[in-house]
């Protein structure tokens, strides 16, 4: 994205998710209780990003009619994809890497992902999937100490 942004003379903006880093909506009380934590949701983050885009388009000369593409990986990728779905009028596209946006129990059984991954590791080498499977006991044991 760095190379492409430079080539296209595009602006890259990294928005900080509320409750992370310095974006604490209630200052030192942000994590105090559920009343304050009620605003720590992906829906709220998407609304924040929509407001940020509107603000940037209003305040940066020449930005008003420029297209926006949401980009992210993992949870950020999920947010990018959800942003495109919820605010299609604000972004022309979304690039979502490693973003399991449909991995919800009522849509796709959780075991499906593990079956696909296991099949991939079986193909990658002898005993690979078995070694990874056995490692979970060690991981669980170590994470409990």
């Amino acid at each position: 994205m760095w190379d492409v942004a430079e080539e296209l003379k595009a602006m890259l903006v990294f928005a900080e998710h509320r409750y992370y880093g310095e974006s604490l909506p209630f200052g030192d009380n942000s994590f105090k209780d559920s009343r304050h934590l009620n605003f720590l949701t992906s829906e709220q983050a998407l609304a924040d990003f929509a407001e940020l885009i509107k603000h940037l388009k209003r305040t940066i000369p020449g930005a008003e009619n420029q297209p926006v593409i949401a980009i992210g990986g993992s949870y950020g990728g999920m947010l990018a994809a959800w942003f495109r779905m919820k605010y299609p009028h604000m972004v022309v596209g979304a690039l979502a890497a490693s973003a399991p946006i449909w991995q919800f129990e009522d849509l796709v059984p959780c075991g499906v992902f593990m079956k696909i991954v296991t099949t991939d590791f079986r193909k990658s080498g002898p005993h690979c999937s078995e070694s990874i499977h056995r490692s979970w006991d060690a991981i669980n044991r170590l994470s409990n100490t």
Side-chain angles (χ1 to χ4, degrees):
M1 78 181 152
W2 303 107
D3 296 334
V4 173
E6 184 176 352
E7 182 180 323
L8 298 175
K9 296 181 178 27
M11 178 189 306
L12 294 176
V13 176
F14 292 85
E16 186 171 85
H17 194 301
R18 61 169 63 186
Y19 289 86
Y20 290 85
E22 297 180 20
S23 300
L24 301 174
F26 301 102
D28 291 341
N29 292 324
S30 294
F31 300 101
K32 184 177 179 182
D33 55 38
S34 62
R35 187 172 63 89
H36 292 91
L37 285 169
N38 282 338
F39 300 99
L40 175 55
T41 66
S42 56
E43 292 86 0
Q44 292 286 335
L46 296 178
D48 289 345
F49 299 154
E51 287 301 315
L52 175 61
I53 290 170
K54 285 193 264 184
H55 173 77
L56 294 173
K57 285 182 169 265
R58 255 191 337 262
T59 60
I60 297 174
E64 184 177 0
N65 296 313
Q66 296 303 313
V68 174
I69 299 172
I71 300 173
S74 192
Y75 175 59
M78 293 167 67
L79 290 173
W82 289 334
F83 193 88
R84 174 70 174 131
M85 295 163 82
K86 186 169 178 81
Y87 298 95
H89 60 289
M90 297 193 77
V91 292
V92 297
L95 178 59
S98 300
I101 63 169
W102 295 122
Q103 188 57 55
F104 298 104
E105 203 167 324
D106 57 333
L107 296 174
V108 177
C110 289
V112 170
F113 175 75
M114 295 307 290
K115 286 179 185 174
I116 293 168
V117 171
T118 300
T119 300
D120 288 344
F121 281 118
R122 278 192 186 123
K123 293 176 185 175
S124 69
H127 310 293
C128 182
S129 64
E130 292 85 356
S131 295
I132 292 171
H133 187 265
R134 283 193 309 271
S135 74
W136 282 104
D137 285 338
I139 292 167
N140 289 330
R141 190 173 54 254
L142 288 171
S143 66
N144 286 325
T145 63

